[in-house]
């Protein structure tokens, strides 16, 4: 067989285990795996000796150029996908959110336009149902168009995004009928509103500042909502995916539901695995406001345990980047902080350094959580999510131990700050290949913007 490229001599991590050897690529696909593949005339050999060769990462929770909290998130499809590529992300899934009377179709069209001509890596969208009574008749059309994951928010009334129990229940029934999946942002809206109202006084704001963000979101705000979403999942049989789960209580609820055979899976994000709410004691603590907020060390430990135990299936980022200037508009009122963190560029470095080098996960387990599971759950496997013959040649080559300091000045993201500033992390991509093409070489982005493709899907869950 003639190979266009051979990735030579790395420790190749596949769903079935790791081996030292070669990956042979023909066109956009992985064509062979072996101990020593023969290069032919014109074959490009990429040396991976002494490196790990991982399947391309799927970040299935990303917001690029999102109008939110009175501003627009600062990474668009150009900077966001460049940042992703440098962190080994070769597929991302964003959320197409209908605004001001838009149909689901129009929301998808809007997000397609954001991505076209800019995306460096492959992408698709979760379709957000924000006005169920209008949108429910449009769901089947979106499935026929190749979108198999839908999203509802249990909060964000002021953004016009909030869904009630009627919407959750009805959408989960549709998910069961169509073989698709509902993603849910689970926080308990009315109790959260009440806690925020009680604390929204000049005295408390001057005393506690950004610490009011975690103070008004105790763990039961997430736990109650997860419990309720699981209830509707259990009675309808529609597949449910809990996004950005941040609490120990959430992990316990998901584990118990899975043991009863309820079709629910859960995602956490890198920030919930490496940060805790002590960040709000810092002078610049307001920068760390995201939704839900980072929790306590005991939650961090429970989420790592959940990754090992299986009740947490996916690690994503919930990338929603805001600059210092955007964050500064809070002026001492925590309810006005644009909520979100940069994440695409550091997903693999953080989870590799703290998870694998920190002794919490094996490298195979990490690949499962960052690549194989998200691909399977989102209906992209086996095209994406594993180093297997016939799959897209999406590969990341990382050095096992060499570290780099996190420094926004040298990064691709538009963020002018980082939650991880100065952290020494291994796991940045030395080389990233997307569908057989080298898009990161020697830690620098070399791929052409606009080459990323939209990925149609036929299933999920
Ligand atoms: O803080 C966050 N996560 N911003 C994005 C919106 C969301 O809820 O995912
Ligand atoms: Zn959310
Ligand atoms: Zn999100």
């Amino acid at each position: 067989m003639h190979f266009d490229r051979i990735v030579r001599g790395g420790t190749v991590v596949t769903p079935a285990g790791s081996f030292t050897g070669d990956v042979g690529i023909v066109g956009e696909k992985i064509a062979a795996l072996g101990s020593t593949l023969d290069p032919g005339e014109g074959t490009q050999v990429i040396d991976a000796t002494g490196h790990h060769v991982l399947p391309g990462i799927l970040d299935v929770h990303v917001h690029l150029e999102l109008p939110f909290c009175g501003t627009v998130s600062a990474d668009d499809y150009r900077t966001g996908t460049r940042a992703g590529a440098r962190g080994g992300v070769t597929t991302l899934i964003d959320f197409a959110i209908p605004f001001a009377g838009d149909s689901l179709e129009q929301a998808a069209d809007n997000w397609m336009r954001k991505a076209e001509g800019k995306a460096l890596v492959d992408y698709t969208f979760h379709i957000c149902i924000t006005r169920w009574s209008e949108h429910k008749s449009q769901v089947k059309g979106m499935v026929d168009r190749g979108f198999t994951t839908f999203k509802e928010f249990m909060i964000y009334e002021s953004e016009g995004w909030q869904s009630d129990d009627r919407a959750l229940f009805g959408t989960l029934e549709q998910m069961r009928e169509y073989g698709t999946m509902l993603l849910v942002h689970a926080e308990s809206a009315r109790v959260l509103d009440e806690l925020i109202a009680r604390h929204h006084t000049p005295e408390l704001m001057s005393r506690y500042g950004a610490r009011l963000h975690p103070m008004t979101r105790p763990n039961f705000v997430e736990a109650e909502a997860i419990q309720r979403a699981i209830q509707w999942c259990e009675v309808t049989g529609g597949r449910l995916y809990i996004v950005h789960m941040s609490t120990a209580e959430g992990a316990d609820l998901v584990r118990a539901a899975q043991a009863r055979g309820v079709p629910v899976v859960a995602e956490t994000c890198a920030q919930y695995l490496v940060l805790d709410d002590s960040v709000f004691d810092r002078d610049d603590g307001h920068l760390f406001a995201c939704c839900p907020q980072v929790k306590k060390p005991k939650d961090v430990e429970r989420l790592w345990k959940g990754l090992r135990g299986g009740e947490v299936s996916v690690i994503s980022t919930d990338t929603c980047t805001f600059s210092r200037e955007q964050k500064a508009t809070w002026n001492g009122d925590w309810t006005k902080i644009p909520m979100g963190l940069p994440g695409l560029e550091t997903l693999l470095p953080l989870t590799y350094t703290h998870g694998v080098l920190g002794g919490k996960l094996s490298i195979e387990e990490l690949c499962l959580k960052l690549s194989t599971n998200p691909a399977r759950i989102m209906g992209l496997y086996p095209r994406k999510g594993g180093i297997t013959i016939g799959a897209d040649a999406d590969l990341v080559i990382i050095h096992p131990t060499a570290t780099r300091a996190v420094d926004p000045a040298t990064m691709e993201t538009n963020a002018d700050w980082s939650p991880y500033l100065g952290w020494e992390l291994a796991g940045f991509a030395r080389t990233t290949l997307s569908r057989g093409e080298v898009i990161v070489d020697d830690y620098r982005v070399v791929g052409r913007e606009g080459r990323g493709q939209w990925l149609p899907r036929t299933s999920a869950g």
Side-chain angles (χ1 to χ4, degrees):
M1 190 183 300
H2 178 269
F3 300 110
D4 296 312
R5 293 197 168 89
I6 293 175
V7 176
R8 164 132 299 162
T11 304
V12 181
V13 184
T14 78
S18 301
F19 70 94
T20 301
D22 297 352
V23 182
I25 298 167
V26 177
E28 299 192 340
K29 301 286 181 188
I30 296 172
L33 303 173
S35 51
T36 324
L37 300 176
D38 285 332
E41 179 96 25
T43 301
Q44 181 193 9
V45 177
I46 299 170
D47 184 18
T49 315
H51 287 70
H52 293 309
V53 181
L54 313 179
I57 308 306
L58 287 87
D59 186 351
V60 299
H61 191 146
V62 174
H63 304 277
L64 297 176
E65 211 186 326
L66 174 69
F68 183 50
C69 297
T71 181
V72 178
S73 68
D75 274 314
D76 66 1
Y77 271 82
R78 196 184 80 81
T79 59
T81 58
R82 286 174 69 90
R86 208 174 154 261
V89 174
T90 50
T91 302
L92 64 81
I93 313 189
D94 196 339
F95 294 80
I97 307 181
F99 292 104
D102 279 355
S103 64
L104 300 184
E105 193 81 36
Q106 286 167 319
D109 291 344
N110 287 342
W111 255 261
M112 286 285 201
R113 271 193 295 274
K114 287 182 205 264
E116 271 161 15
K118 288 188 177 173
L120 173 63
V121 302
D122 294 347
Y123 57 89
T124 185
F125 316 113
H126 310 292
I127 304 297
C128 298
I129 296 167
T130 51
R131 296 185 309 282
W132 185 68
S133 53
E134 271 169 69
H135 289 156
K136 64 183 171 184
S137 60
Q138 302 165 13
V139 170
K140 179 67 169 63
M142 299 312 292
V143 178
D144 294 341
R145 192 174 153 179
F147 295 101
T148 55
T149 47
F150 296 82
K151 165 84 179 285
E152 286 176 346
F153 300 91
M154 292 171 81
I155 62 162
Y156 297 140
E157 186 173 32
S158 60
E159 300 282 352
W161 299 351
Q162 187 175 310
S163 288
D164 61 12
D165 287 335
R166 175 187 286 190
L168 290 169
F169 184 84
T171 309
L172 281 161
E173 285 182 325
Q174 290 181 304
M175 298 299 106
R176 187 191 161 106
E177 187 182 343
Y178 304 142
T180 50
M181 186 173 72
L182 179 64
L183 285 68
V184 169
H185 174 135
E187 287 189 292
S188 201
R190 293 292 160 254
V191 172
L192 179 57
D193 291 345
E194 176 59 20
L195 294 176
I196 290 173
R198 281 183 199 174
H199 290 79
H200 203 241
T201 68
E203 295 74 30
L204 291 176
M205 287 199 276
S206 83
R207 186 155 158 206
Y208 294 113
R211 273 176 289 167
L212 285 166
H213 186 48
M215 285 166 67
T216 51
R217 283 182 139 87
N219 283 21
F220 61 74
V221 167
E222 181 177 273
E224 186 279 333
I226 290 180
Q227 188 161 23
R228 191 150 33 97
I230 287 174
Q231 173 75 69
W232 303 144
C233 169
E234 187 159 15
V235 295
T236 59
R239 290 183 198 129
L240 173 68
Y241 179 101
I242 306 292
V243 300
H244 52 45
M245 190 170 70
S246 62
T247 56
E249 289 84 344
D252 291 344
L253 287 163
V254 169
R255 186 172 179 84
Q258 288 174 340
R260 299 197 298 278
V262 181
V264 57
V265 292
E267 155 201 280
T268 191
C269 304
Q271 58 269 30
Y272 305 119
L273 295 168
V274 299
L275 297 175
D276 63 59
D277 66 5
S278 61
V279 293
F280 293 104
D281 297 335
R282 293 169 45 148
D283 289 343
D284 62 356
H286 69 285
L287 293 174
F288 291 79
C290 58
C291 182
Q293 88 282 11
V294 295
K295 299 293 194 300
K296 305 276 183 214
K298 76 164 177 48
D299 298 294
V300 173
E301 280 317 305
R302 179 66 185 86
L303 293 170
W304 279 113
K305 189 172 159 220
L307 286 163
R308 285 191 303 274
E311 59 269 31
V312 185
S313 302
V314 171
I315 313 174
S316 69
T317 62
D318 197 7
T319 292
C320 193
T321 306
F322 296 106
S323 65
R324 282 178 180 278
E325 194 184 343
Q326 288 175 301
K327 292 269 187 182
T329 55
W330 79 302
N331 276 330
D333 177 347
W334 91 99
T335 65
K336 299 204 163 46
I337 310 173
M339 292 183 289
L341 303 176
L344 276 154
E345 207 156 347
T346 45
L347 171 61
L348 175 59
L350 284 170
T351 52
Y352 177 75
T353 306
H354 288 256
V356 177
L357 299 183
K360 290 180 159 72
L361 292 178
S362 68
I363 185 124
E364 288 82 6
E365 284 171 321
L366 185 67
C367 288
L368 204 61
K369 307 297 175 178
L370 292 178
S371 190
T372 312
N373 281 353
R376 283 196 177 122
I377 291 168
M378 298 302 166
L380 290 168
Y381 193 83
R383 177 171 176 189
K384 306 289 187 187
I387 302 181
T388 53
I389 291 169
D392 280 358
D394 291 355
L395 302 171
V396 198
I397 303 175
I398 62 168
H399 192 277
T401 53
T403 63
R404 304 183 148 235
V406 175
D407 174 7
T410 64
M411 291 165 82
E412 293 290 341
T413 171
N414 261 341
D416 55 356
W417 71 284
S418 170
Y420 318 108
L421 178 68
W423 290 25
E424 286 287 337
L425 300 177
F428 284 102
R430 186 208 74 182
T431 311
T432 304
L433 289 99
S434 164
R435 284 180 280 104
E437 189 180 332
V438 175
I439 60 168
V440 170
D441 184 27
D442 195 19
Y443 300 96
R444 282 175 304 110
V445 175
V446 295
R448 177 181 51 84
E449 61 193 61
R451 63 166 296 289
Q453 291 179 358
W454 173 68
L455 299 166
R457 296 173 286 159
T458 56
S459 66

